[in-house]
Every structure is written in structure tokens, then in C-alpha cells.
Amino acid sequence: MRPAVLNPLFAELTGLKGVGPRIARAIEAAVGGTHVVDLLWHFPSAVIDRRFAPKIADIPDGALVTVTATVGPHQVPRHKRQPYRVTLHDETGELTLVFFRANADYLKRQLPEGAVRVVSGRAQAFGGGMQITHPDHIGTAAEQQSLQAIEPTYPLSAGVSRKPMQKAVRAAVNLAPPLPEWLDPALVAREGWAPWRESLLAAHAPGGEADLVPETAPRRRLGYDELLANQLALLLLRRNMRRKPGRAITGDGGLRNRVLGALPYRLTAAQSRALDEILGDMAAPSRMLRLLQGDVGSGKTVVALLAMLAAVETGAQAALMAPTEILARQHHAVLNRLCEGAGVRIGLLTGRGRGKGRDLLLRHVAAGAVQIVVGTHALFQDEVAFNDLALAVVDEQHRFGVHQRMALAARTSGPPPDILVMSATPIPRTLTLTAYGDMDVSRLDEKPPGRRPVATGVMPAGRLDEVVARLVAAVAGGARAYWVCPLVSESGALDAAAAEDRYAALQTVFGDRVGLAHGKMKPAARDDVMARFAAGDLSVLVATTVIEVGVDVPEATVMVIEHAERFGLAQLHQLRGRVGRGGAESSCVLLYAPPLTETARARLEILRRTEDGFRIAEEDLRLRGAGEILGTRQSGLPQFRVADLAAHADLLPVARDDAYALLEQDPELKSPRGSALRTLMYLFGRDAAIALIGAG
Ligand code: ADP
Ligand code: MG
């Protein structure tokens, strides 16, 4: 149960004064949540400095001023179109306040003649006098201090303007209760941090522009709080997974030796190391939950296969789940080829294809006659029952998140399978912790020998004709090329249109040697185009990012990417990884639409300089921040509200160690500090993990 002290923060936004349903919806669009707590993390993006408080005679034209003066006569307009005027005066002169379409009653109440008032707004010289049109604030003399201050302003959305947003945030922040300290006192002292509530108040009371950044002490403290909540949740998840009994899987090595013996190459040192780590986990009686991380082309597939064979050698089954139909088919073909002559039965199960063949396959899976099953999400539908699933391999994990991992584990009855997740997304180490903190990690940090670098060029879109001319020459020499059009909209409809336009244009040059593949096509039609490209019937494949993951055409040597500035670096890197797979020289052209911002230029430069995916990811994180690293929300990475993974990167390992130590000392979070930590986890919406304490 959520600690009662937090209840005011988990009330609906509409409970705040001045926030009706309409404004609440607009605020929700800006802050991404419907509860009071969501406003706490909505930090100011600018300040308005109202400290300048001159006498009326000294007001410079155009200045933002806060003036204290006595209210004089009201000048009520005779026509609606005329403005309402009120004159104020101090000992030095007169100032006119101007209101259009004014509510006279309201103004008379706000500005009673003879009273002293504080008004703040932008002053303008007009007809020999000074005036303020629609002052931002009108207050009493008693409110002078609070008005003559630095005022925070917040990011807005359509439907909510500055003042209501400020008011709502202030009201929310005022509801924040003091909470017991959950941080290590030594850490707090070292960093010079204030308690939670004070830090929150300070983050919303910037003293100037310099206080608007995540590097300030209050923002670091709040960011650390969130990182700690995240790490605790992941460690609880991990502990829960591991507490469930697993099984010790040690095969006799027979199948593995046969497959290894038939390989035309030797495993790299990185592959051998990763495989040893995986087999070690599988042989242990507890459950495996391991991430196999490796850049495109680092050779994850064969490592996964050898792990699956270890399971098959014991008489059990293994499954390999891919994110798309195309990839599942490709994996199936590759595994079959690698296992040729080894006598392993490998089935393919996807969402497509119904009827007898499928029924038969399901029966064989249930009977254990099919030893390895490759498939899409369809693998984990109710109708699929494994005879004895010992290992589940999940490819391209970045499309799945922690929740999907939990669901997958729940799908299987009996002793739960070991889980190996493969990710080709080069994620910086810091992010690995936030996304995969519940898993052990093996990294393939070395590529198989013989890879040639991909010559990468960055060019403005104005030189498109030149690129096409060079492509014509390359195609005449037998080259195959990808031409990628960017993601324009979430729906994919616009991307398809852009790709169709480019396809039509290139058809006039390449005729029927060019094909088109995008996400709006029927999957079967798309697969067909891809297959024709793979077979060499097509020389140029115009595509949206559907080709991003895993498609393998070793003969392709040219990659052209339009509007490269719109892609995440990791994504560009993945796309580029589609070429340079065979023995031939390959090239990649990154076309951009000028003008490029300096950051955008620097990002594309990184790609030109290096092909090391992990370095690219680290640089991208540094340049753009984590939010955009993978370009899309579906990245599966956790979304942080306060923590800024670029600015707070140094705090992540600290949070990790802290969380470890905390759960060592107080596994049930029962101590006073443990209970404060539970509150913290509720505060950041990580409470689902609390249910795992003592469960399982
Ligand atoms: P990933 O899935 O990590 O992107 P793959 O498993 O598809 O990479 O491997 C990429 C290519 O490298 C494949 O063609 C594979 O046959 C080849 N390969 C894998 N391991 C080695 C190795 N040790 N030596 C040479 N080639 C290898
Ligand atoms: Mg792969």
C-alpha cells in the first residue's frame, strides 16, 4: 500500500485549485501524467527577472519593471473597442495601466483608488507618458517581495498558458510533504545535497538562468533519487527471478562439437568468452538471465545457437524469438544451415501461416520432436506448449522492455527456462545499467576478422544528382545498394509516401532494377521484394527503416541514407552495418538537409570517424542526452522524469552500488531507511517491484 503521506501527490490534477478538466488535459500533454506528482518533475525552462523596481520617472522604455505606486482614477471606456485605463502615481510621476476588453468590476476590486499596489510588466513610452499594457501581476503592498522576484516559467503545451501552468506547478509543489531521508547520509554530505522537499522547492525556485540545468545540486539530488528507485526495482526483479528454482543444464557437447567442427571459421576470443559465461550460467542450478550485447555483425547468432544446442543435448528444447517475421525467417534459415548434418530439428513459428502445417508443428513442439523453435511473438501465445523448454533466446531486445521480460517468464509453466537476450543496439555502459540492471551482461567487443571498413561520406541533399550518378556507375559494375528514406511520422504513412516518391524518381534511372519496401506494404509483398534484392534480381532497394534490423545481404555494398540528420546515431550505425558484410569495398552516403545545427554536424562527423558502435553510442549520449539516443519511444529503455543520463551519468554507478548494499543489509526493506526507500519507490512509480519483496 502506498504510504498515506504520498496521497496528496497521487491525487488527480483536477483536484488542484484553478485546474479544470480542460487545463488538466493540456497540462497532461505537457508533463506526461495526470497526477499531482507529475507536475513536481516539470522543471522551469526559463526565468523572468522582476527584480528591477525603479521609481516611475526612472522607468526606461521597454523595461520589465515591478513598480510600487498609489492607484489614481479609473478611466472607464465609452466604447467596447476603447481600452480601460488606470493611472498610478508615486512621488516622481505617473504611470498608466492599459486594459483591452476589461472586466471593470474586477479591475475596481483589484485596483481600488487610493490604495498602494505593486504592478509588474513591460513598460512602454506612449504619447509622452509611460504605460504598461496588461500587467503580468497586480498585488498588494504586502506581496511586494514575492512579486519583485525571479519567476520561473515552465514548458507549455497547446491549451495552457504561462500563468495557469505556473500556478498549477506551484500548487503541486506546495503539496509536497517532508519525507524521511532515504539517502545515505555520507553521500548527502559529500554532494552537499539538501533533503528531498527542500531540493524540490529549490529546483522550482531558480535564482537565474544558471539554475535551470540538470547539473545543479537540487536537480542532481532528485535525479539520484530516481536512479536509485530504478536500480532498486531492477535488483528486486533480478532477485525474484533468481529465487525461483532453475535447472542445471550441462549437455555432453556432442551437437556443439559437430556444429563447431563444420564451421568455416573459428570463434573469436570474445565469442568464446561469452559462450563460456552463458554455459556457466546454464550449468548452475539457478536461473540464467543474461544479456548478450554485441554490435551488428559481431557474431551473436552462432553463440546463441551453441547455447541452444547445449540445452538440446540434454533432451530439452530451446526457442529463439525475433522481433519481426523477416528476421525470424532469416534466423531459421541461418540456424538450419549451421546445423546441417548435425541432426537437429528446427521449426519456424510465426503469426502468418495457418492450417495443417502449423498444427503439425505445434504438435511436434508439444511432443518435443522439434528441438529448436524459431519465431516471432507468436512463440508465446497460449496455443504454443513446449514439451520441455530449457532456454529462451530473445533477439533484439531493445524492442522489448522490462515488462515484456516479466511477461515472457510468466508464459511458461514448469521449471522456468533460462533466458538469454541478444541486443545489437550499442548502448553506453551507463544506459545498460538502467535498462538491463537486472541481467548479467556478456559483451562481444571484437568483430570477426576480415571486415573491411565502410567508407562513409556526409553530403548535403543538394548533391543528390551526383550520388545518383555514382550509383548508376556502381550498379553498372554489379553493385547492390540500399536507399533508405527516413521516419517522418509515427504512423508510417508519410514515410511510405516519401519512399514511394524516391522510388518513382529512381525508377526513371534504374527501371525495373529498383524495388521498394516499406512498413505499409503487405508483409508478404515486402518479403518478396527483399528476397528479390537478396537474390540479385534488384540492384537498388528503396526502403524505410524496415530494413534496419538484421536483414543480411552480404553482396550489398552501398548504403544511401536520406535526411540522415533525422535518425538517431545508433540507428544510422545499425543501418550502415547492413553493408560491409561481404569481402568487397563498401560505402555509405549520409545525405542531410541543410542547414545543420552544430550538434547535428558533430553527430554525423562521429559516424564518419568511427565504426565502433559503443563509442558512437557514448558520443551520442554526450551530444544529445539519453532521451533521443535510440530515436524512438519504443526503445524499451526506461524513461526518466528527473534523471538526465548525460548530466547525471556519474551518479548511476553510485546508485547501483547503493542499491546493492541496501538490499544486502535490509533484504525486505524493513528498517526505517528501508521504509523510506519504499516511499521513494512509490514516489517514482516503481512500486510494482515492491510487490516482489518476499514473493516468489
Ligand atoms: P550479429 O547477429 O551479431 O549481427 P551474425 O551472427 O549475423 O552477427 O554474424 C555476422 C556474420 O559474421 C555472419 O555472416 C557470420 O557467419 C559471421 N561470423 C560469425 N562469427 C564469425 C567468426 N568467428 N569468424 C568469422 N566470421 C564469423
Ligand atoms: Mg543478428
Side-chain angles (χ1 to χ4, degrees), residues 294-301 327 330-331 395-396 422-424 549-552 578 581:
D295 217 339
V296 257
S298 59
K300 295 183 292 297
T301 314
L327 265 179
Q330 190 170 301
H331 273 312
D395 189 15
E396 306 291 357
M422 299 199 284
S423 169
V549 248
V551 178
D552 202 11
R578 300 295 115 213
R581 308 193 132 206

Side-chain angles (χ1 to χ4, degrees), residues 22 138 510 621 633 681 689 694:
R22 198 178 48 79
I138 300 173
F510 295 102
L621 175 65
R633 251 177 283 130
M681 292 176 74

Side-chain angles (χ1 to χ4, degrees), residues 319-329 347-352 358 373-381 384 386 393 400 408:
L320 169 58
M321 175 159 91
T324 65
E325 177 99 17
I326 297 174
L327 265 179
R329 284 177 190 282
L348 174 69
L349 189 77
T350 67
R352 254 184 264 164
R358 186 188 173 88
V373 190
V374 181
T376 56
H377 292 77
L379 271 181
F380 294 96
Q381 283 162 3
V384 185
F386 289 88
V393 180
F400 310 104
L408 190 150

